Amino acid sequence: MSAMESPLSETPADEDTAAPQNGATEAQEAESEGNAPEFTTVAVPEIVVRWNQELAPTLRDGIVEHGSLDRAELLDELPALWATVDAALARVGPGTLVTESVRHDSYEGWQVAALPRYDLDGGIEPRDRRDGAPQPRDRRALVQALVDAVAERPCLDLRDALNMLDVFAGIFPSGLDAICRRLLGHDLRHGLAAGMAPLHDALERRAAGCVSATCYRETAVGSRKAKGDPATDNEDAAGALRGPSGTVRCAVFDGVTGDGDGSGGKASRAALEQATRRWLMDEDLPPGELVAELDAAVGRATEGSAAAVLATVRPDGTASVVSVGDAEAWLVRPLRTSQRGDEPHRPVQGTEPPYAAWKLTPAHTGYAELLRVNPDAEGEGSSLVNFLGGGPGRWTHSTIALAPGDLLLLASDGATQPERERWFGAVLAELAAKLDASGRPPAPALAAALVQRAEALGGWDNATALVCAIGEAKDV
């Protein structure tokens, strides 16, 4: 049995503070009774870790049980965590984190309980002091700890974490999916604090003055969905309107395919017509009243139904996003500031990607309901449990801060189709970078590229993309 030096202190661990180990006690009792374990070819030592100071609660327990940190404030506090993790890995070595290593106390702040790696003799494995970059094990542990802290139920593993990040975006803190993906895939050889800083700078960016929004829309019928009737084949509808106050309101509606009677298209068009009537008044309803108004309009027009995502972009740089069903909203933001949202972004030197993207809306599907309580949930991916037409049981509303250079995307699910398990946020960032480098206007080019991509992936569904380019307002 080997005692370790606590990575949380410069002094050796105090053996008197060791917690009882049930496994060790049972083994000793068994041996005293003459029931010693049978001979095995590999002998593995028992290792007991003793801490010489009290551990803070795990991040999940700190948030859920002790209220040490508000979920909405988690992203703002992460830069301090990265510095703490860097210090722990520099002292104890990479590959030493588990999910429970990430801890938080309302008085002391962050604490990282890193566990040194042991060899088969029970000693601490030597390490190269020059290597302090987090290993895949550390990255996975951090992602699981972050998702575990904000989810309704405990996070089971990395696969569960990634599934929840995708399904519950818009419920989780905005941008958490981008942070976790960067943790898993970005070059962090210079440490977490340095590697994560560009993304945090982008997440915290705000407009210095008033902004303007210009919207571009592209839509197409998926070739495998087309039935030869142009009037009913495309069940998507989208539109945008700028009011006298300078507020821009836009929406994408995705009709649910019924029995081939065109009811999905009727539902989406009825919703757009009602939204436009409301937009012409240049006033905003509370989200619940807006959803109820659109739902009633669909019910009057047809027995069909539709998913919806709507955004209101205000001159002060704030935007509200409302969604029902599986239509999606994403924010694409340059990692450097740009003068105008309708101008190509300046190329970024080096290997740093010039854009980041994160999802703003959750999925209201059967799979999402299952995943809410069961990490092994499968199927029901496209089965909507909330939609316009028949009374939506749940809708989601969020408010975000925009900045010049942003691209706000509203899309039907046909335009955000997965690509070989690749995260769609990475697809968006790559497309924006390529279009930017080509000298084309990013917003209209991105809308067109997403619709073309949907057909290239098989044309299984109608695809509609509406992209708002956010720039500095010239006249207020």
Side-chain angles (χ1 to χ4, degrees):
M1 185 176 294
S2 172
M4 65 169 281
E5 180 183 336
S6 167
L8 303 178
S9 172
E10 294 294 340
T11 58
D14 184 352
E15 294 188 5
D16 293 337
T17 63
Q21 302 294 313
N22 293 334
T25 302
E26 293 173 0
Q28 292 169 357
E29 292 177 353
E31 187 173 354
S32 65
E33 296 174 1
N35 297 325
E38 295 182 1
F39 176 83
T40 59
T41 56
V42 178
V44 180
E46 284 187 349
I47 297 171
V48 177
V49 177
R50 300 183 177 94
W51 307 98
N52 70 341
Q53 60 180 274
E54 183 178 356
L55 291 181
T58 63
L59 181 56
R60 178 177 176 82
D61 287 346
I63 290 179
V64 175
E65 297 182 10
H66 304 286
S68 67
L69 192 64
D70 189 277
R71 284 184 174 92
E73 300 173 352
L74 176 60
L75 269 60
D76 294 335
E77 300 297 325
L78 289 182
L81 172 61
W82 307 144
T84 307
V85 172
D86 284 341
L89 297 184
R91 181 179 180 194
V92 186
T96 58
L97 300 184
V98 294
T99 304
E100 295 80 7
S101 294
V102 183
R103 295 170 176 266
H104 190 272
D105 178 80
S106 57
Y107 297 102
E108 301 296 333
W110 293 106
Q111 185 184 58
V112 176
L115 299 171
R117 300 178 70 88
Y118 291 84
D119 56 30
L120 292 181
D121 295 327
I124 296 178
E125 290 183 354
R127 69 179 186 85
D128 185 353
R129 294 263 175 193
R130 297 169 297 179
D131 182 14
Q135 292 184 355
R137 169 180 172 172
D138 303 317
R139 297 168 183 248
R140 292 192 297 268
L142 291 169
V143 169
Q144 289 173 221
L146 294 177
V147 175
D148 192 50
V150 300
E152 290 185 14
R153 59 166 177 80
C155 177
L156 178 64
D157 52 25
L158 181 62
R159 174 179 174 272
D160 186 30
L162 295 179
N163 287 339
M164 287 198 285
L165 283 169
D166 179 57
V167 170
F168 301 130
I171 298 174
F172 288 177
S174 179
L176 182 61
D177 53 347
I179 284 177
C180 289
R181 293 289 181 168
R182 189 176 179 93
L183 277 173
L184 292 173
H186 192 68
D187 181 2
L188 300 174
R189 71 181 71 182
H190 299 298
L192 284 163
M196 300 300 293
L199 178 56
H200 281 288
D201 289 342
L203 288 168
E204 295 168 3
R205 189 176 305 151
R206 302 291 184 268
C210 292
V211 303
S212 64
T214 306
C215 299
Y216 304 87
R217 180 192 63 184
E218 292 288 346
T219 187
V221 177
S223 59
R224 296 179 187 267
K225 192 106 181 241
K227 303 299 181 183
D229 186 352
T232 60
D233 277 348
N234 195 339
E235 296 175 308
D236 294 350
L241 185 69
R242 185 189 310 276
S245 65
T247 297
V248 173
R249 299 172 179 88
C250 52
V252 169
F253 301 97
D254 183 358
V256 178
T257 301
D259 298 326
D261 57 356
S263 59
K266 293 177 182 177
S268 63
R269 289 189 289 272
L272 178 60
E273 290 170 2
Q274 180 59 41
T276 302
R277 284 193 288 269
R278 173 59 59 182
W279 294 343
L280 289 170
M281 300 178 188
D282 199 28
E283 61 182 29
D284 297 313
L285 291 176
E289 294 182 24
L290 172 63
V291 171
E293 186 174 277
L294 296 175
D295 179 70
V298 171
R300 291 192 297 269
T302 177
E303 295 183 356
S305 56
V309 58
L310 304 94
T312 301
V313 181
R314 303 178 182 88
D316 65 0
T318 62
S320 62
V321 179
V322 179
S323 67
V324 181
D326 58 358
E328 300 180 6
W330 289 77
L331 186 62
V332 184
R333 175 168 287 176
L335 294 182
R336 291 184 182 179
T337 57
S338 179
Q339 294 300 313
R340 289 175 48 193
D342 57 353
E343 290 182 349
H345 188 73
R346 291 178 300 168
V348 174
Q349 301 298 322
T351 59
E352 178 70 34
Y355 285 90
W358 51 92
K359 193 178 180 186
L360 303 174
T361 52
H364 298 145
T365 61
Y367 172 70
E369 293 302 303
L370 294 174
L371 189 65
R372 195 178 299 276
V373 296
N374 181 11
D376 297 319
E378 295 182 358
E380 303 290 336
S382 61
S383 174
L384 297 183
V385 295
N386 297 289
F387 43 81
L388 300 178
R394 181 180 296 157
W395 47 268
T396 303
H397 169 257
S398 61
T399 300
I400 60 173
L402 299 173
D406 286 353
L407 302 174
L408 176 62
L409 167 68
L410 309 184
S412 63
D413 64 333
T416 60
Q417 183 178 342
E419 181 180 334
R420 295 182 180 179
E421 303 299 323
R422 191 181 181 202
W423 182 49
F424 185 67
V427 173
L428 279 177
E430 181 180 299
L431 277 175
K434 288 181 177 179
L435 296 170
D436 193 351
S438 72
R440 298 159 63 188
L446 180 60
L450 289 173
V451 171
Q452 294 165 6
R453 170 183 172 273
E455 182 59 34
L457 290 175
W460 296 98
D461 198 357
N462 304 315
T464 299
L466 189 152
V467 181
C468 291
I470 307 303
E472 295 181 355
K474 295 179 179 180
D475 298 313
V476 181

